[in-house]
Amino acid sequence: MKKCKITVMRIACYQDLMAKYENPMEHACDMKEGQIFIANGWKKPEGMCDSAWESMSSFVMTLAHGGGNFYNGWMKNEKSAMISCNDGFRPVSFLIEALEEEAE
């Protein structure tokens, strides 16, 4: 089983939807663009948002076990996936890449 690198690529924020539908929140997301997490096999990295992990964990599991080529050629790098969390107000896009390093 391999480790996987998870990079925060983009954070969107839909202020119009937040104003119309969301109850005011003091703090919703700790992610920063460029932030990197390393998944030790299929284990959720320290500091990773639970909701984001739920959105990507099956892709991490597949990549960690040597799989890839999702949806028959979706990604230029077959050993990667671009996944967004399921927050409809402030979705975060993550690039997941299989590493050559073995999980511990």
Side-chain angles (χ1 to χ4, degrees):
M1 188 169 26
K2 305 290 185 185
K3 291 185 177 184
C4 290
K5 178 180 171 183
I6 304 166
T7 306
V8 178
M9 300 303 291
R10 184 163 298 156
I11 301 171
C13 191
Y14 304 126
Q15 294 291 342
D16 58 330
L17 295 176
M18 292 161 71
K20 188 171 183 177
Y21 299 107
E22 186 179 45
N23 286 322
M25 296 185 75
E26 203 161 303
H27 184 75
C29 182
D30 290 326
M31 300 290 118
K32 305 271 188 275
E33 287 186 14
Q35 187 173 5
I36 295 173
F37 297 91
I38 302 296
N40 188 21
W42 56 270
K43 296 176 186 170
K44 182 181 87 155
E46 185 77 28
M48 171 65 66
C49 168
D50 289 337
S51 180
W53 182 249
E54 286 298 319
S55 299
M56 73 175 77
S57 62
S58 62
F59 291 89
V60 173
M61 170 96 64
T62 299
L63 290 168
H65 283 89
N69 194 25
F70 300 102
Y71 310 115
N72 297 317
W74 168 49
M75 297 291 292
K76 290 180 180 181
N77 173 359
E78 292 182 358
K79 298 294 184 183
S80 69
M82 180 69 71
I83 303 299
S84 294
C85 73
N86 59 13
D87 186 333
F89 297 116
R90 60 191 70 70
V92 178
S93 295
F94 299 89
L95 177 62
I96 308 165
E97 302 168 283
L99 300 176
E100 291 302 316
E101 185 178 352
E102 292 292 328
E104 298 166 3

